[in-house]
């Protein structure tokens, strides 16, 4: 692209480094910002700079946090003896949005993926094992994606945690609510028949 | 969404103000930036802030520029007596990318659109008329989009400029290169027959 301005070119290049943003989209976004008030653009730029500079990770669960201890770990009302292990912050937010879970979390920061060069030592797995070893824990819930990397990590975590003699559970897999049987893939459908559960009216709202 | 951090929430909210960026995309982009080095994020934020603060518009053609006079208006080698009128900076970049035009530009800053409340006085039309009146101009090329707003603006500009007795041209409309006749819309195809041109081998590269 031929830019008439170095400032414009810099801004477009920075934007197009973002995942899924090409040069044309970047230009569209930058021209949009140019039409905004100066204070608005400063708010935007500074929000990003402050985020990267001041953000902390919770010392206990490694979730993104404004303080040394995240709001979930610091809350008085949570069940402190249940730990739900997730891949990243987005999963914490997704589970919190359900309003069905009241325990604590442990954010691994990724999944074991030899293809991408990510091994167990790159993730917060040792600190999970230490947490289970040093604090009273009643249950560890492994809530990882149903992918190759998720299953690998699941198996590795199980091996590391099984000697502590505490219940290790995973989230239920099956047909999604609203999902139609004929469109379900055969692995999901097959497993959901094998792992069928007693009909419970108490769960119906 | 339940955010575990106010800083994170601020950054996501700022990002989701951009056109075409929802909360989920914003969160994905923000978490991407969180994984970058602090200097990189500062570069990004500051590029946007500097852009908005320091960018200028060329005093002659109103194109986005780093200085009072844009690089095209300031260039010695351009044909200064030909003015190509376009809607915005993106159109200047598109025409510059063709490498086929060597005159100057005039950026209107939009198109006349009564539906959006944009009238002639909201655009740089008076300054175009003044430019034509006060500097030697051999030709005005109107390169506007082939839309309702483009045609309205075209007609208005023609009325304002016709008394100066200089050639006023518009870019050629017709079947695009690589376009197949059977898929062309009937207006374009009909007009391209009515406005047919002599076959010129000199234009074939």
């Amino acid at each position: 692209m031929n830019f008439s301005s170095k400032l414009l070119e810099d801004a477009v290049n920075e934007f197009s480094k973002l995942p899924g943003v090409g040069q044309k989209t970047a230009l569209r976004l930058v021209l949009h910002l140019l039409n905004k008030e100066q204070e608005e653009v400063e708010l935007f730029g500074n929000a990003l700079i402050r985020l990267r500079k001041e953000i902390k990770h919770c010392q206990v669960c490694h979730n993104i946090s404004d303080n040394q201890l995240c709001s979930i770990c610091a809350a008085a009302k949570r069940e402190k003896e249940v730990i739900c292990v997730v891949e990243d912050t987005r999963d914490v937010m997704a589970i919190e949005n359900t309003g069905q879970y009241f325990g604590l979390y442990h954010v691994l920061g990724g999944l074991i993926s030899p293809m991408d060069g990510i091994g167990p030592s790159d993730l917060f797995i040792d600190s999970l094992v230490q947490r289970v070893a040093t604090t009273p824990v009643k249950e560890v819930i492994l809530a990882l994606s149903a992918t190759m990397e998720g299953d690998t990590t699941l198996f590795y975590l199980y091996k590391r945690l099984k000697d502590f003699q505490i219940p290790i559970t995973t989230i239920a897999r099956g047909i999604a609510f609203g999902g139609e049987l004929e469109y379900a893939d055969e692995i999901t459908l097959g497993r959901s028949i094998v792992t069928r559960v007693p009909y419970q009216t108490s769960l119906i709202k």
Side-chain angles (χ1 to χ4, degrees), chain A:
Chain A
M1 279 204 219
N2 280 317
F3 290 95
S4 59
S5 147
K6 183 81 178 62
L7 289 165
L8 184 68
E9 188 172 356
D10 286 347
V12 169
N13 284 340
E14 286 298 327
F15 249 115
S16 57
K17 285 180 192 163
L18 295 174
V21 178
Q23 284 242 310
K24 286 217 167 181
T25 308
L27 180 61
R28 193 167 55 86
L29 296 177
V30 168
L31 291 179
H32 171 85
L33 286 178
L34 261 184
N35 284 329
K36 294 274 150 202
E37 292 298 317
Q38 189 171 322
E39 298 92 76
E40 277 185 71
V41 178
E42 278 177 6
L43 223 61
F44 181 54
N46 286 327
L48 299 182
I49 295 172
R50 275 194 59 204
L51 171 79
R52 183 62 190 80
K53 207 169 178 174
E54 296 175 22
I55 203 98
K56 294 181 183 70
H57 287 86
C58 173
Q59 286 183 324
V60 175
C61 73
H62 308 290
N63 191 12
I64 288 171
S65 167
D66 291 344
N67 306 303
Q68 300 287 338
L69 207 62
C70 78
S71 54
I72 295 171
C73 287
K77 282 195 174 171
R78 311 281 305 204
E79 293 175 38
K80 307 234 184 252
E81 298 177 347
V82 181
I83 299 176
C84 179
V85 180
V86 294
E87 180 185 345
D88 66 18
T89 303
R90 266 176 291 189
D91 300 329
V92 174
M93 289 170 64
I95 295 174
E96 284 298 290
N97 279 338
T98 68
Q100 299 286 324
Y101 178 69
F102 307 99
L104 304 184
Y105 292 92
H106 190 89
V107 178
L108 294 176
L111 295 173
I112 296 172
S113 172
M115 294 279 281
D116 302 315
I118 302 172
S121 59
D122 299 314
L123 307 174
F124 294 115
I125 291 178
D126 287 339
S127 72
L128 172 66
V129 173
Q130 215 187 340
R131 231 177 126 181
V132 172
T134 55
T135 59
V137 174
K138 275 196 314 206
E139 183 181 355
V140 175
I141 305 169
L142 304 176
L144 303 178
S145 298
T147 57
M148 177 97 90
E149 290 78 18
D151 281 345
T152 308
T153 313
L154 215 61
F155 185 64
Y156 181 84
L157 289 175
Y158 175 74
K159 280 207 302 179
R160 291 284 302 267
L161 295 173
K162 71 179 190 311
D163 293 338
F164 290 105
Q165 306 284 345
I166 47 164
I168 300 172
T169 57
T170 68
I171 51 172
R173 309 271 182 224
I175 307 294
F177 284 92
E180 296 195 38
L181 283 204
E182 60 184 302
Y183 299 120
D185 65 295
E186 52 263 46
I187 296 177
T188 305
L189 187 55
R191 286 242 209 140
S192 76
I193 290 172
V194 173
T195 61
R196 63 193 177 278
V197 291
Y199 181 65
Q200 285 172 285
T201 50
S202 65
L203 284 176
I204 298 168
K205 284 176 193 168

